[in-house]
Amino acid sequence: MVFYAKSEGKETIREHTDRLLYNLNLLKNSYSNKFTLMDEKMWKLLEIAVQYHDVGKANTVFQNKIRQAIRESMLETDIETDVPHNYLSVGCIPLKQLDLTKEEERLLIHGVGYHHEREQLPEKEMIRQVLENDIKKQLPQLSEHMRLPMTEKFSYRFVDRLLNRYTYHDGEEFWKYVMIKGLLHRLDHAASAHIDVESDVEKSIYINVNEYMKKQGFHKNDLQQFAEQHHDKHVIAIAQTGMGKTEAALLWIQHDKAFFTLPLRVSINAIYDRIKEKMGYDAVGLLHSTSVHYLVDKEENWEELKQQSEHYAKKLLLTTIDQILKFPFYYKGFEKELSAMANAKVVIDEIQAYEPRIAAMLIKSLEMIHRVGGKFMIMTATLPTLYLEELKQRNVINDDQIAIEEFIDTSVNRHRIRLRSEGIEEAIGEVLELGETSQVLVIVNTVRQAMSLYDKFLDCDTQVPIYLLHSQFTQEDRQLLEKHIKQFNEDNERGIWITTQLVEASIDIDFDYLFTEMSTLDSLFQRFGRCYRKRELDHDNCNIHIFTENISGIPRVYNEHLVNESIRLLEPYDHQIVDERAKVEMVKQLYDRKQLKGTSFLKEFEDALYMFDNLDPYGMDKRKAQQKLRDIQNIQIITRQMYDQIEHLFERYKEEKEWKKRLKLRMEIEKKTVSVQRYIAEKYVSERLPKPFDHIYIAEVEYDFNRERLKGKGILLDKPSSNQH
């Protein structure tokens, strides 16, 4: 008798199980010494779970589904009950013969019973029906097919035991369960995708980064040496921009498997290129919401790369936190992500860039990574004191397991500031004058303010080139502008760029003057980094002007209390040099728990932590967890006019059978969309596109941009389109 597991390639249960066993050996031989929670007994349990995880697929209803798909004759049966195979598999395990303790039995029952998370809970009567009236007859053949002993007599106590799920109140056992179930998921998913659960095990980024630094003639600075020396610990490094943080992180990773997270997809793509092309390291994967678009253009074998990245098989994975660190939500199947951290190192870059709720999730995920035996490194320009204290309180930070250090270079002064109690539009004349001989960067807090300022500049009769860059251009136009601002900066052209906080972290530029609206200090200091980024201040003028009146984006973008406190902390530095040490100290004060008492910032942070500490496990699915994290406030829109121009692409997409071409078309379409905050966009949206483009909405508004001259304001939400329909 043949028992099938999958219709693709007519794979039998035994063949599929052998794939998992192959991957189990690969995982164990590659990393067994890294898994602190996996002793010999646990590996043995995992192996038993692998052997039996799919035997329940032998039931006739399941076999007939597959036989129908592969056009083989149906098996006779009078059973119609469809019970998920994962529950049936547990019933076939010969628990009596296995000589397990009660706790080991529970780990095995739950690992196999929930290796698929179903809506349908285990029901004793239905399970009894299928096991007694169907599987019982197959047991001898099944045992022969699997070359495994099966149970001699069915017992149904396992159903009651399955209903009593593991939670973190089970203490140490809970973390063992996370390992058994999570690793079983990883082995199963890799086997089904026909890829190795771990690839490039023997490769080491450490070797490549050392060679690269030698070739470039770089000497390891204090930060890089510190990271390298403490590779066996958690590390928190507070270091200013431009100190070679990426190299430091790669030196800390050494020969280990690692996940490297950054807040912005643009910066992740840039680091991917650098590691792959400049350092010549190809064991690197890329995983974020638009990584496929990026890989298709760059890599011949992008499909394999995409799969290896999605299943965490790559030795080094560059990713965003919404892809891998959402397990504090305890969504169904969270164990796969968490167990992938257990033999790995996790780098979190710029923790101060996340809003308080997300920071709370990060703190919780670091606590969980610590529990399963992974290591983390936080690299950040400024670290809110609040976060550090929270990690200490959670016993994540013990002195012998963590190294914390600040790396601040005060030998070079780059910034002299001037605080101005007026609105930024008061300085238009001054900015224009500077723009005739220098590069001036203007940063405001909202897109609306940026557009209105751009209009005011254009109203002045001037020959000075003026450009606008913010997030509400279409994807392709924004890329064009981002490329141009870098080029403009490199070529030392004269002129003015008006932008939003979009340029704070992702774009590597170095302007002569910065005129900025006040924001919170952490974000303000990021902005400083776009002016005199790579050189010393060589004159006595103020190169940074900060406007503290009529500030846009409060309280929606920046917390009012924090902005006012930030102004107060800056006041002593008016017309003075602000060095790196002063920046770090001010941010520490700003985010001190006592200072934050009674603020909405602290309330959001504490409420989120309370929620994570008291969540009902398995209450949500993965997509819901991701949505809670992603910028849910944003939706993709396309203007009516643009939609009419590319309507034929949607038609071609529908007709196209070959999925590579479909992907290309999909990217063409996505390039024409704009990401806008939901609460702003909803007023102008007339319809939602049908699947699979149902994340895109049509908006009846104008769009203004000239690609040749790089002029225009982007999407004009307050300008309804003149409908020609």
Side-chain angles (χ1 to χ4, degrees):
M1 173 83 184
V2 182
F3 293 100
Y4 293 114
K6 312 246 175 239
S7 52
E8 291 156 56
K10 299 187 179 180
E11 196 170 35
T12 66
I13 303 180
R14 184 68 254 174
E15 285 164 346
H16 171 65
T17 305
D18 285 339
R19 270 184 196 286
L20 269 88
L21 287 171
Y22 163 81
N23 270 326
L24 172 66
N25 285 322
L26 176 65
L27 185 68
K28 191 178 169 187
N29 296 337
S30 309
Y31 293 112
S32 64
N33 59 329
K34 293 285 172 204
F35 288 108
T36 52
L37 293 173
M38 297 292 292
D39 55 14
E40 262 318 304
K41 202 87 213 226
M42 286 281 288
W43 285 110
K44 189 71 202 145
L45 264 184
L46 180 57
E47 189 190 331
I48 299 170
V50 164
Q51 290 277 22
Y52 286 95
H53 80 289
D54 267 0
V55 294
K57 284 185 174 175
N59 77 81
T60 313
V61 173
F62 185 90
Q63 288 302 311
N64 277 342
K65 274 187 203 162
I66 292 200
R67 295 176 86 94
Q68 194 173 358
I70 59 177
R71 304 205 166 88
E72 286 197 7
S73 58
M74 302 300 249
L75 305 170
E76 300 226 338
T77 177
D78 42 13
I79 298 259
E80 283 173 10
T81 322
D82 194 358
V83 174
H85 73 266
N86 35 302
Y87 302 146
L88 300 174
S89 295
V90 183
C92 300
I93 302 174
L95 289 170
K96 293 263 186 304
Q97 300 173 35
L98 290 174
D99 187 31
L100 301 174
T101 67
K102 203 166 167 190
E103 262 317 328
E104 288 164 349
E105 263 186 25
R106 185 179 177 206
L107 285 169
L108 182 61
I109 288 171
H110 281 254
V112 173
Y114 290 111
H115 80 271
H116 293 284
E117 293 276 1
R118 310 281 183 187
E119 288 304 309
Q120 190 182 334
L121 288 172
E123 274 182 49
K124 198 177 276 188
E125 217 13 75
M126 286 169 73
I127 291 172
R128 186 196 306 272
Q129 228 181 334
V130 178
L131 286 176
E132 297 292 346
N133 301 326
D134 182 25
I135 288 196
K136 197 172 192 168
K137 297 177 207 149
Q138 331 260 22
L139 277 182
Q141 290 153 304
L142 180 59
S143 178
E144 190 182 331
H145 172 80
M146 294 301 294
R147 303 190 288 283
L148 286 172
M150 298 290 157
T151 185
E152 284 161 15
K153 184 171 177 296
F154 292 125
S155 146
Y156 295 95
R157 284 201 27 240
F158 77 87
V159 185
D160 304 321
R161 292 176 80 178
L162 274 176
L163 290 170
N164 171 25
R165 292 207 70 165
Y166 278 96
T167 72
Y168 36 86
H169 302 302
D170 287 305
E172 200 51 39
E173 294 302 320
F174 171 72
W175 302 103
K176 286 184 176 173
Y177 167 67
V178 164
M179 294 307 299
I180 294 281
K181 177 167 183 266
L183 293 178
L184 182 57
H185 279 306
R186 287 196 62 208
L187 299 170
D188 198 12
H189 296 172
S192 299
H194 290 235
I195 59 173
D196 286 355
V197 67
E198 293 285 358
S199 65
D200 310 306
V201 174
E202 66 302 326
K203 293 186 178 162
S204 162
I205 185 65
Y206 182 70
I207 295 168
N208 291 60
V209 77
N210 271 309
E211 280 172 12
Y212 166 75
M213 289 179 78
K214 235 194 227 115
K215 238 193 342 240
Q216 299 287 327
F218 295 156
H219 294 293
K220 290 178 191 170
N221 62 23
D222 292 350
L223 164 67
Q224 290 158 346
Q225 291 178 26
F226 168 79
E228 186 174 21
Q229 284 156 6
H230 295 289
H231 65 90
D232 51 346
K233 296 184 168 169
H234 301 308
V235 167
I236 297 180
I238 298 154
Q240 71 207 56
T241 316
M243 268 204 156
K245 285 195 285 195
T246 305
E247 283 78 2
L250 298 174
L251 289 166
W252 172 74
I253 288 167
Q254 295 259 320
H255 310 293
D256 288 317
K257 180 182 176 71
F259 297 87
F260 196 128
T261 73
L262 292 104
L264 293 156
R265 298 183 302 224
V266 196
S267 353
I268 299 181
N269 292 346
I271 290 190
Y272 175 81
D273 283 353
R274 208 163 117 208
I275 290 178
K276 192 136 196 181
E277 282 150 32
K278 298 211 168 120
M279 299 184 187
Y281 185 70
D282 59 4
V284 57
L286 190 66
L287 183 63
H288 55 69
S289 56
T290 55
S291 52
V292 176
H293 298 185
Y294 190 74
L295 292 172
V296 168
D297 284 347
K298 294 197 71 83
E299 309 287 351
E300 302 256 295
N301 62 333
W302 62 269
E303 297 157 74
E304 186 188 3
L305 239 161
K306 167 181 179 279
Q307 282 212 307
Q308 290 175 325
S309 299
E310 283 171 353
H311 293 301
Y312 320 130
K314 278 288 183 202
K315 184 85 185 252
L316 173 61
L317 189 61
L318 303 174
T319 179
T320 47
I321 58 167
D322 65 76
Q323 297 288 343
I324 60 154
L325 295 179
K326 52 190 182 300
F327 40 78
F329 283 107
Y330 290 111
Y331 52 86
K332 298 186 171 101
F334 76 91
E335 302 90 347
K336 179 183 178 182
E337 273 87 41
L338 184 50
S339 68
M341 307 285 137
N343 59 324
K345 288 179 167 167
V346 184
V347 177
I348 296 187
D349 195 12
E350 302 301 354
I351 195 168
Q352 90 287 346
Y354 299 102
E355 50 157 311
R357 286 176 323 176
I358 293 181
M361 180 198 73
L362 284 175
I363 301 283
K364 185 71 187 173
S365 61
L366 294 178
E367 180 189 352
M368 293 168 78
I369 288 168
H370 175 70
R371 285 303 308 259
V372 295
K375 294 263 181 290
F376 63 79
M377 175 180 199
I378 298 175
M379 291 194 298
T380 184
T382 48
L383 179 66
T385 341
L386 177 67
Y387 300 165
L388 201 57
E389 283 172 8
E390 193 56 53
L391 283 167
K392 283 192 175 133
Q393 275 177 351
R394 291 171 177 268
N395 295 326
V396 179
I397 300 186
N398 300 359
D399 298 339
D400 53 340
Q401 292 175 321
I402 190 152
I404 306 178
E405 195 72 65
E406 287 179 355
F407 298 89
I408 297 164
D409 176 9
T410 47
S411 65
V412 181
N413 290 325
R414 306 170 194 274
H415 305 127
R416 184 187 302 275
I417 70 168
R418 180 174 163 205
L419 289 175
R420 303 175 56 161
S421 45
E422 52 186 346
I424 197 161
E425 55 283 340
E426 311 288 321
I428 289 178
E430 195 180 329
V431 171
L432 281 170
E433 204 174 306
L434 285 170
E436 287 172 9
T437 55
S438 326
Q439 298 192 332
V440 189
L441 184 62
V442 178
I443 304 185
V444 294
N445 298 342
T446 64
V447 173
R448 175 163 284 182
Q449 174 77 319
M451 288 181 178
S452 127
L453 208 52
Y454 180 67
D455 277 340
K456 289 179 178 140
F457 270 102
L458 293 183
D459 289 344
C460 305
D461 192 22
T462 176
Q463 296 305 301
V464 177
I466 297 162
Y467 299 97
L468 175 67
L469 167 61
H470 53 66
S471 58
Q472 287 174 18
F473 287 98
T474 61
Q475 289 182 20
E476 55 183 348
D477 293 344
R478 181 172 148 182
Q479 275 175 337
L480 209 61
L481 284 164
E482 287 180 0
K483 214 158 133 178
H484 186 63
I485 192 171
K486 287 185 190 161
Q487 207 51 56
F488 169 94
N489 187 218
E490 274 170 38
D491 299 346
N492 223 350
E493 291 176 41
R494 307 280 170 264
I496 299 162
W497 278 80
I498 301 165
T499 70
T500 58
Q501 52 275 48
L502 176 73
V503 299
E504 271 176 33
S506 60
I507 300 178
D508 192 357
I509 46 175
D510 180 358
F511 275 56
D512 302 320
Y513 290 95
L514 168 66
F515 282 68
T516 172
E517 285 193 292
M518 187 66 198
S519 62
T520 54
L521 288 178
D522 41 330
S523 124
L524 191 70
F525 295 152
Q526 286 273 47
R527 296 177 187 187
F528 283 19
R530 307 293 158 236
C531 171
Y532 273 76
R533 180 178 174 81
K534 306 183 166 108
R535 49 198 163 133
E536 184 152 14
L537 192 59
D538 47 6
H539 55 74
D540 295 333
N541 306 333
C542 295
N543 58 346
I544 294 193
H545 295 252
I546 303 165
F547 295 82
T548 59
E549 295 289 323
N550 306 335
I551 310 169
S552 66
I554 292 177
R556 255 197 205 281
V557 188
Y558 296 107
N559 179 294
E560 187 169 9
H561 168 84
L562 289 177
V563 170
N564 291 334
E565 274 301 295
S566 296
I567 296 174
R568 190 181 65 74
L569 287 163
L570 275 180
E571 275 164 353
Y573 293 93
D574 193 17
H575 286 84
Q576 306 291 321
I577 293 277
V578 176
D579 69 12
E580 298 300 327
R581 162 71 56 206
K583 290 182 194 169
V584 171
E585 291 308 321
M586 280 189 264
V587 171
K588 273 189 194 165
Q589 286 177 32
L590 181 64
Y591 289 103
D592 182 81
R593 197 183 273 268
K594 290 197 278 299
Q595 290 285 344
L596 291 170
K597 210 170 166 162
T599 63
S600 58
F601 181 95
L602 185 62
K603 185 171 171 11
E604 272 185 32
F605 179 70
E606 290 185 329
D607 287 353
L609 271 175
Y610 181 81
M611 174 192 85
F612 288 125
D613 288 341
N614 298 284
L615 256 188
D616 168 30
Y618 323 110
M620 66 174 77
D621 63 22
K622 187 166 167 174
R623 267 193 60 188
K624 213 154 125 198
Q626 208 139 359
Q627 278 170 343
K628 270 194 180 300
L629 268 189
R630 275 231 190 100
D631 222 351
I632 336 165
Q633 302 90 322
N634 280 24
I635 57 175
Q636 299 288 97
I637 60 178
I638 187 167
T639 62
R640 168 69 62 191
Q641 190 189 0
M642 188 79 79
Y643 176 75
D644 292 344
Q645 284 171 13
I646 64 165
E647 203 169 353
H648 63 283
L649 292 179
F650 291 96
E651 288 310 311
R652 276 178 47 203
Y653 182 89
K654 260 191 236 156
E655 286 154 21
E656 184 55 65
K657 294 282 174 278
E658 198 194 320
W659 67 279
K660 279 190 200 176
K661 287 188 182 149
R662 284 169 70 108
L663 192 71
K664 284 260 196 266
L665 284 168
R666 189 178 179 124
M667 283 159 62
E668 270 310 289
I669 290 168
E670 298 263 357
K671 275 182 191 156
K672 309 284 182 193
T673 62
V674 182
S675 172
V676 180
Q677 286 192 296
R678 187 182 285 272
Y679 76 92
I680 301 176
E682 270 173 341
K683 303 195 269 281
Y684 308 101
V685 163
S686 58
E687 59 181 288
R688 186 177 183 171
L689 294 180
K691 281 194 159 99
F693 294 100
D694 49 348
H695 59 296
I696 301 176
Y697 299 78
I698 298 181
E700 306 293 339
V701 291
E702 297 283 322
Y703 182 79
D704 164 42
F705 191 63
N706 176 322
R707 295 192 66 133
E708 274 63 64
R709 297 175 44 236
L710 298 178
K711 297 282 183 231
K713 293 197 294 191
I715 198 152
L716 305 174
L717 288 172
D718 40 11
K719 199 164 172 199
S721 50
S722 39
N723 266 344
Q724 258 86 56
H725 291 275

